[in-house]
Amino acid sequence: MTTPPALLIAGYGTRDEDGADALRALVRMLGARHPEVPVAGGFFGTPGTEAAPGGPGAPLPLGDAVGELVARGATHLVAVPLLLAPTGPVARPLAAALERAVQRHPGVDHTCGAELGPHPRLLDALERRLDEALGEGTRTPLDRARTTVLLVGRGASDPYANAEVARAARLLWEGRGFAGVETAFVSQAAPDVPAGLDRCRTLAAAAPAPAAGGPGRVVVVPYFLFAGGLFERLCMQTEGWAAAHPDIEVYGAHTLGVGPEVAEVVMERYHETVAGGPRAAAGDARGTYRTARQSAPVTAGTGER
């Protein structure tokens, strides 16, 4: 039987051990679900650097993951970037890091698949995180109608990377019944988190209160995979704004993490690449989205603004 290409999960580097533990858990999950595919994962850079392969002190260097797969007999690697957008400061460093890692092993080649993108399953994961932030209990249409979401990205100097967050926000709003989904960024791009919350508050005050639904509220949802310094900054900004605005309920969701939804999308990207080469997630499965979710009728005056 022919051994399938190995799966190399390439995460954007972190010095945070919780992020490394999350990647290890994802590797274990995929290994258990797909024992026929050799799987390993590593980080290719660290935030704030030129994204050298692993960076000083970074756990799980990408080169070690490549070495592990080669030791297990792999000769072709399919790298799936553990990234939410195809643009930003990490695309070229990722390609360079992969090339450097593979060059150490003559006879081994690699193909890079598409990033995860705002896939329908990732939107489901965002929705799950949002519901977890609101606590236990049944969600009714009235609950959704009084909830405004602030989807917060990392922020980048590349406007196309920031536009991917806006695209994810629009898709998160479609058919889910929220009063609106706004965007903000932790750094490097406007609006920042306090400005985004100001806009959510303004929109919540302007929207008609749903009958018996209670006052408006805001849920801040991070659009990144791992906790760490960035998430801590977001929490501090959110808590500071909420303390200054006691007239509105503010909830904070956790990061996406690497749960079953992320695992499914990683394997989908792997199979796409094995079947016919990488596909940009910017054109991600629009037909899949339409069949997975029927959009609710758009009510005038609602939606992402």
Side-chain angles (χ1 to χ4, degrees):
M1 184 176 67
T2 304
T3 302
L7 168 58
L8 175 66
I9 305 171
Y12 185 37
T14 178
R15 292 190 179 95
D16 185 74
E17 195 59 38
D18 289 341
D21 287 342
L23 181 54
R24 292 185 186 103
L26 178 62
V27 169
R28 288 194 298 270
M29 184 190 305
L30 289 171
R33 291 184 174 192
H34 305 275
E36 74 284 0
V37 177
V39 185
F43 294 103
F44 66 89
T46 53
T49 73
E50 289 301 309
L60 296 182
L62 190 69
D64 289 0
V66 171
E68 175 189 336
L69 292 172
V70 172
R72 291 163 63 182
T75 58
H76 182 71
L77 313 178
V78 171
V80 174
L82 206 58
L83 303 171
L84 296 175
T87 50
V90 296
R92 286 190 299 274
L94 170 57
L98 286 170
E99 195 63 36
R100 282 190 294 265
V102 170
Q103 281 178 352
R104 301 189 192 112
H105 305 280
V108 175
D109 62 358
H110 73 281
T111 306
C112 191
E115 73 295 330
L116 305 186
H119 188 283
R121 293 295 287 139
L122 297 187
L123 298 173
D124 290 342
L126 287 173
E127 186 176 14
R128 174 170 57 81
R129 287 301 197 196
L130 194 155
D131 284 338
E132 290 170 355
L134 291 173
E136 305 263 336
T138 304
R139 296 284 168 257
T140 68
L142 289 177
D143 288 328
R144 292 296 178 91
R146 69 187 184 96
T147 301
T148 301
V149 180
L150 183 66
L151 187 67
V152 182
R154 292 174 174 271
S157 57
D158 180 354
Y160 290 94
N162 300 328
E164 287 296 308
V165 182
R167 185 164 74 102
R170 176 68 196 193
L171 292 172
L172 181 62
W173 175 77
E174 288 284 351
R176 288 178 169 84
F178 298 119
V181 180
E182 297 295 314
T183 57
F185 302 93
V186 177
S187 64
Q188 299 190 66
D192 60 14
V193 174
L197 285 165
D198 285 342
R199 181 154 181 79
C200 288
R201 180 170 177 255
T202 299
L203 293 174
R217 59 190 179 183
V218 177
V219 183
V220 179
V221 180
Y223 190 53
F224 32 91
L225 289 165
F226 301 121
L230 198 71
F231 181 61
E232 291 173 3
R233 288 174 62 187
L234 171 58
C235 291
M236 291 176 60
Q237 293 171 355
T238 302
E239 290 166 6
W241 188 93
H245 300 84
D247 56 310
I248 187 167
E249 298 177 55
V250 181
Y251 298 82
H254 207 277
T255 55
L256 265 170
V258 287
E261 300 95 342
V262 172
E264 290 172 24
V265 179
V266 168
M267 285 310 297
E268 183 174 319
R269 297 292 183 245
Y270 168 83
H271 288 304
E272 288 171 355
T273 307
V274 170
R279 179 177 64 180
D284 186 12
R286 292 187 174 93
T288 303
Y289 184 84
R290 292 191 184 104
T291 56
R293 191 166 203 94
Q294 293 294 324
S295 294
V298 177
T299 301
T302 65
E304 186 197 5
R305 298 171 173 84

